[in-house]
Each structure stands twice: as structure tokens, then as C-alpha cells.
Amino acid sequence: MAETKNQGREELRRVRRQSRPLFWFVGVFSFFANLLMLTGPIYMLQVYDRVLGSRSEETLVALSLLVAFLYGVMGILDYARGRIMARIGARFQAALDQRVFDAMIRRSAVSADPNAQTGLQDLEAIQRLIASPVVGAFFDLPWTPVFLAGITIFHPWLGILALGGGFLLVSITLLNQAFSRGPVLRANKAAHKANLTSEEIRSEAEMIQSMGMRGAAFDRWKKLRDESLAESVSTGDIGGRFSSLTKALRMFLQSAILGLGAYLVLQGEVTAGVMVAASILLGRALAPIEIIIGQWPAVQRALKGWSNLSELLGKVPPEQPRTSLPKPKAKLDVQSLTVIPPGDTRAQLKTVSFTVEPGQAVGVIGPSGAGKSTLARALTGVWKPAGGSIRLDGATLDQYGPDVLGRHIGYLPQRVQLFEGTIAENIARLDPQADDEKIVAAARKAAAHDMILQFPDGYDTRVKPGGGRLSGGQMQRIALARALYDDPVIVILDEPNSNLDAEGSAALNLAIRQIKEEGRSVLIMAHRPAAIQECDMLLVLDHGMRSAFGPKDQVLREMVANHEQLRQAAALGGVR
């Protein structure tokens, strides 16, 4: 675990190092901006100790014009520093967007890892921190000892008071970190759970409304929401206490140093200009600490995001470039396939072997829990084999890139899910450069073209993730068109007629015949006999193992004969 996390952390550091020249620019700008912060104290020294003593208006005007110019330069430098930091944050996020997105998808497909689910939010938290004033405050922080040393040069007692105040503020910062770390993590976790539940309820709104579950669903969400609010309030209270304490202490210190300076002026040990200059320097010295304390929740969120991303990227290394292979033939060879579902320790499929030739339709049947859907996920490359191999035209599935493999293998999952967008965009698998002719061709092969034209806007009709007003059968036929888009060589259909009426089932069988005639192959995971009507071969699974494989009629005859023998044996046992 530690090794993978270190690998992910090193990957993040490599991306951050790409902006090292920009960080140097920020450092240089910070140097001169902080140097120009001495303008105020020096101006006060000159005004109180020279201008007021000489009563020279010309000197006052000259000093004021110079100060205005220097403050203008300081403002420009500070503005430029902020713009550079915003671009460093955007550059960091842009460099990792696709990498984190791919890692999140790949990890979420095989595991319920919470770090995968929050990957993009973690990356955004780091980007926001880089672009925030906190990073600028960290660049200013090394100047705090310089300003405190300047106060000490004025008078040792002033330096002791300033150093004591600075030590107190640093102590408060450390206490803030220690006391707020746990509540911040709990608040983020509770908020994430509440958001997930809210999204789940929203996506199933129709079912909740129809079954009278609104009250129960609200109570379930409200419980999580209350936990999130309680943790958020607790976190805000802790942060607010430390922030208020810091602000009050800083204001007190500035007043205290004025009071001590006034006392030293009365004693004749310093001038009035020193008294005011020391107060300004103290404010400059303590300002970065106050900013860091006030923005500490953002710092903690970014640190947690860095840790989460380090773990996620370490667990999901970047995919290596693959040599482009020609479009494969529709031959699928499965040998001794063993599959263990993610997060499980038992194999759902055990040493399953079979071969699908071009132009064949293979039905996969068996009781619930036999491993049909597990086989479908393995054949699409979503779940990796724990043993054995899956070869498409002689090449193992991992020799194809995920997007390339998706173009060669069409998949209709058991649970159909559409995306927010138009029907055309869903059929085209969200490809922005999709060919309209291919979209219509896929819909025709799925016998969904005429159905789609009956919608108010045809192919441009917008649908929601849950389907909206579409029926289960309509969603299934659109999803079948999506599976057939761009002519994949293998089509895998998991319970494809579960929501279809007689017309839809006939359309499905027609689509399967067309696929076979074009020399492509089909695998159908089915419970209902109508789904295997066009199948040439049958694969029977039982408890994750191959029970039979062969021509459909032969396998069915054997199953009927075995069933009859078992029935007769049971009857004889009953007579005895």
C-alpha cells in the first residue's frame, strides 16, 4: 500500500515540477513585493522623524509621490503573482484531468474504492488551493522573521514582544491543525455520503413516488444530511474559534507594540517614527500566518485530496501505449477462464472454456447466480481474468486499448442506463464526431429507427439518465442500437429481451440474424427461451462452471433427457 501511494505521489510531483519555472517567477515577484512592503514603515519613519521636525512640505510631497509609485509597483507584482498562481493551478489540473478521469473509471469499474469516486473533486481541491491566497502567504512566510528582526533592530523590547506574538500565532496554527483534522475528514465523508444518497434518490424518483417511499427516502437522506451538517458546524466552530483568536491576538499585538513604543518614546529610547513603523512591520509579519489559519480548511482538503490521488494513481498506473492491431475477425476463444469479482474472494467463474466462430450466435443459459453476467463483464474487458485467457482473433483483450476494444465488442448490459443528451448522442456512445449515417444504420439494425422517428424530435429527442419518459423496452432498443454502433465484430447481449414485448423480441431476433449474416458473432445471456431462438450454440453454466457446450438442439435434448432421468429417479425414490 505504501509503495503504491509513493508511486502516485511521485507522479503528482512530476506534474507539479512542470511548472517549476513559474514557481520561480512567483518567488521572484514575492521577493520584490515583500521588499516593497518596507515602504510603509520607512515612510512613517521619515514623516515622523524628519518631515514633522523640519516642517518641509516639499519633502512630504516628494516622499508621498515616491510611496505612491512603490505601492503601485507592489500592487502590480502582487496581481501578477496571483495570475501566475491561477494558471499554475489550471495547468496542474489540465495535465491530470484525463489521467485522473481514466483512473477513476478503471478503479470504479472493479472496486467500490471511495478514493476513486472523489478523484476529480480531489484534483479540483488541489487546483483551488494553488490558485488561492494561501500559496502566496506561504511565499510571504519566510519574510516574517525578516520583519521581526527589523522590529528587534529598533529596540530589543519591541523585538521580544513581536517574537512572543509570532510564537503564539504559530502555536495557534499547529493547534488548529491538530484539532480540526478529524472533524474536517468526518465532515467531508458525511457530506459525500449524503450527496451519493441524494443522487440515488433523484435517479429513482419515479419508483420512489409510485411506491409511496417519499417519506422513508427523505428520512434516510435527512439522517445523513443531519450528520453532515453537524460535522460541518463542528468544523466551522473549531476553525472560527482559532480564526477569531488569531485576529483578536494580532490586533492586540499591534496595539501592544504601539503602547510599548509610546512608553519607550516617553523614556527617550526610540523616536515616534519607530513606534509607528514597528506597528506596521508587525502587521506585515503576522499577515501570512493569519491568512493561513483563516484558510486552513482549504489547506486540509487539498492535503487530503493529494493523499487520495496519490493512492488512486498508485493503484491504477497509467496504461502503456499499445501497438495498433488490425480489425479482428469475429472469433472469440475462451480457455480455462476463472473470474473473481472485485472485492470478493470466491470465483464466480471457474475454468470455463468455449470458442465462438465468426457468424455464430451463442446462447449462455443457466440459473440465477450461475455466472452469466460475470462472463459478460469479463468478455468486455471490464473484469480481468484471475486465471485462463480470453482471446479475440488470437490476441488477448489487454492487447487492445479500452476505447479500441469497445469499438470491436458491442455490449448491452442487463441494467440499461442512458446518458443525459439526445438519443443520437446515446447511440453514438457520446462521440462528438459521430457519423449520422452510422447512427441511423445502428438504429435500423436494432429495429429502433421507426420507433425513434415517432418521438417529438426524433433522434434529437433529449433523454435523462434514468430514461425519463421512455419505457423499459424503448430504452433497451436504444441501448441495443448503441451496442451495434460502428459495426462491432462481437456483440454481447445480457438479458436483451427482459423488457421487450413481442414486437421488440422479433426485432431483436432480426438484428441477431443480420449480425450473423455479416460474419460477426453474438453472445446472448438469457433466461427466456425467446432470446436464444436464433442461437446456433448453447453454453450452459451452473455454479460458475461449464455444464454443457455444443449445438443448441443437442444441448437442449441432453438437458431434457437429464431432467427426465432426474425426475424418474426422484419418482422411484418416492415410491420406495
Side-chain angles (χ1 to χ4, degrees):
M1 177 70 71
E3 183 178 353
T4 59
K5 195 167 186 177
N6 288 334
Q7 292 172 353
R9 188 178 292 114
E10 181 56 33
E11 185 175 352
L12 292 174
R13 287 171 178 165
R14 282 199 303 270
V15 175
R16 187 181 61 188
R17 281 197 291 269
Q18 295 175 2
S19 298
R20 181 176 288 175
L22 295 178
F23 279 114
W24 277 108
F25 274 111
V26 172
V28 171
F29 288 172
S30 298
F31 174 83
F32 286 106
N34 280 279
L35 197 62
L36 289 171
M37 284 185 180
L38 295 173
T39 300
I42 294 174
Y43 178 70
M44 287 295 108
L45 280 173
Q46 297 301 315
V47 168
Y48 276 89
D49 296 346
R50 292 191 178 184
V51 173
L52 295 182
S54 65
R55 304 184 67 83
S56 172
E57 294 181 0
E58 294 80 2
T59 304
L60 178 60
V61 171
L63 285 173
S64 299
L65 291 175
L66 178 61
V67 167
F69 171 75
L70 293 177
Y71 273 135
V73 173
M74 185 180 71
I76 292 172
L77 290 175
D78 198 49
Y79 174 70
R81 182 176 72 168
R83 284 176 60 87
I84 293 174
M85 289 308 304
R87 280 150 184 77
I88 291 175
R91 183 178 182 179
F92 182 85
Q93 182 172 346
L96 284 169
D97 267 338
Q98 184 173 0
R99 171 76 176 97
V100 173
F101 183 84
D102 289 344
M104 181 183 70
I105 295 297
R106 290 164 58 196
R107 186 66 180 168
S108 297
V110 299
S111 173
D113 189 346
N115 291 344
Q117 299 172 14
T118 62
L120 294 176
Q121 291 92 331
D122 292 330
L123 180 59
E124 188 176 351
I126 298 173
Q127 179 269 326
R128 283 200 301 265
L129 178 69
I130 295 175
S132 72
V134 178
V135 177
F138 278 110
F139 274 98
D140 295 337
L141 199 58
W143 282 82
T144 294
V146 176
F147 294 146
L148 294 178
I151 296 173
T152 305
I153 292 174
F154 289 148
H155 195 279
W157 285 109
L158 294 174
I160 291 173
L161 177 60
L163 286 171
F167 176 77
L168 281 176
L169 286 177
V170 170
S171 299
I172 292 172
T173 303
L174 297 176
L175 288 173
N176 184 22
Q177 178 183 6
F179 281 96
S180 63
R181 182 190 295 114
V184 167
L185 293 179
R186 289 195 298 271
N188 290 336
K189 185 177 180 180
H192 180 63
K193 288 174 63 177
N195 290 336
L196 286 179
T197 302
S198 173
E199 181 61 26
E200 182 181 277
I201 292 172
R202 188 196 65 79
S203 63
E204 300 294 341
E206 184 176 338
M207 184 267 291
I208 289 172
Q209 176 74 13
S210 62
M211 299 185 69
M213 295 172 57
R214 267 199 313 186
F218 174 77
D219 291 340
R220 183 184 183 89
W221 171 79
K222 189 67 166 59
K223 181 180 179 182
L224 294 173
R225 183 66 168 170
D226 288 344
E227 291 178 9
S228 173
L229 287 174
E231 295 293 348
S232 297
V233 170
S234 176
T235 302
D237 288 345
I238 294 173
R241 284 199 296 269
F242 284 105
S243 181
S244 299
L245 179 60
T246 302
K247 184 177 180 180
L249 179 60
R250 187 175 69 84
M251 295 179 68
F252 169 75
L253 286 173
Q254 286 193 275
S255 297
I257 206 165
L258 279 173
L260 179 59
Y263 173 77
L264 294 175
V265 170
L266 294 177
Q267 299 300 315
E269 297 187 28
V270 298
T271 64
V274 167
M275 174 186 72
V276 178
S279 175
I280 296 174
L281 275 178
L282 181 63
R284 300 296 189 194
L286 301 183
I289 300 176
E290 185 177 8
I291 291 174
I292 292 171
I293 293 175
Q295 297 289 323
W296 195 248
V299 175
Q300 286 185 307
R301 178 65 185 92
L303 290 175
K304 180 61 177 175
W306 184 277
S307 176
N308 289 345
L309 285 182
S310 299
E311 187 173 342
L312 174 63
L313 298 183
K315 287 179 178 178
V316 188
E319 292 184 318
Q320 298 301 316
R322 296 174 174 85
T323 301
S324 297
L325 298 176
K327 188 169 183 176
K329 297 177 182 177
K331 181 176 181 178
L332 192 67
D333 187 31
V334 179
Q335 294 296 325
S336 302
L337 177 64
T338 299
V339 179
I340 301 175
D344 205 343
T345 56
R346 295 182 302 172
Q348 286 284 352
L349 287 179
K350 307 166 190 173
T351 61
V352 173
S353 299
F354 63 94
T355 300
V356 183
E357 298 292 344
Q360 279 187 342
V362 177
V364 182
I365 62 175
S368 296
K372 300 187 296 296
S373 294
T374 299
L375 177 62
R377 293 186 179 99
L379 294 178
T380 56
V382 175
W383 287 359
K384 304 299 180 185
S389 65
I390 306 173
R391 293 183 179 274
L392 177 61
D393 195 17
T396 55
L397 298 186
D398 56 9
Q399 294 182 39
Y400 298 94
D403 289 347
V404 175
L405 183 64
R407 289 197 294 271
H408 296 329
I409 299 181
Y411 179 44
L412 174 63
Q414 185 174 5
R415 180 181 172 86
V416 174
Q417 187 74 19
L418 300 180
F419 295 95
E420 180 80 34
T422 66
I423 291 177
E425 289 171 341
N426 273 274
I427 294 176
R429 306 180 186 184
L430 305 183
D431 182 3
Q433 307 298 327
D435 187 339
D436 291 344
E437 291 184 4
K438 290 184 178 181
I439 294 173
V440 175
R444 288 186 184 278
K445 289 176 183 177
H449 176 70
D450 293 335
M451 177 196 76
I452 294 172
L453 293 181
Q454 294 176 7
F455 293 127
D457 297 314
Y459 283 88
D460 296 319
T461 301
R462 300 196 67 83
V463 297
K464 297 183 180 298
R469 297 183 180 276
L470 298 181
S471 68
Q474 289 172 327
M475 289 177 61
Q476 201 154 30
R477 290 168 74 174
I478 292 172
L480 176 60
R482 179 173 62 190
L484 299 178
Y485 176 76
D486 206 14
D487 295 328
V489 296
I490 302 284
V491 179
I492 298 172
L493 309 176
D494 193 356
E495 298 292 346
N497 61 347
S498 58
N499 292 310
L500 298 181
D501 54 15
E503 180 185 351
S505 295
L508 172 65
N509 290 329
L510 176 61
I512 295 172
R513 284 198 298 273
Q514 290 178 338
I515 293 171
K516 291 164 56 179
E517 290 170 359
E518 294 170 357
R520 295 179 286 143
S521 302
V522 189
L523 285 95
I524 305 166
M525 286 65 184
H527 276 299
R528 296 166 63 179
I532 60 171
Q533 180 178 328
E534 298 296 327
C535 291
D536 309 294
M537 308 286 287
L538 275 187
L539 171 65
V540 184
L541 295 178
D542 190 15
H543 294 94
M545 300 183 70
R546 191 183 90 170
S547 176
F549 178 66
K552 179 179 68 173
D553 294 337
Q554 177 184 334
V555 171
L556 289 177
R557 281 196 303 268
E558 291 176 356
M559 290 177 64
V560 171
N562 291 337
H563 177 73
E564 185 63 25
Q565 290 175 5
L566 291 173
R567 189 187 66 78
Q568 291 176 0
L572 290 174
V575 171
R576 289 176 185 168

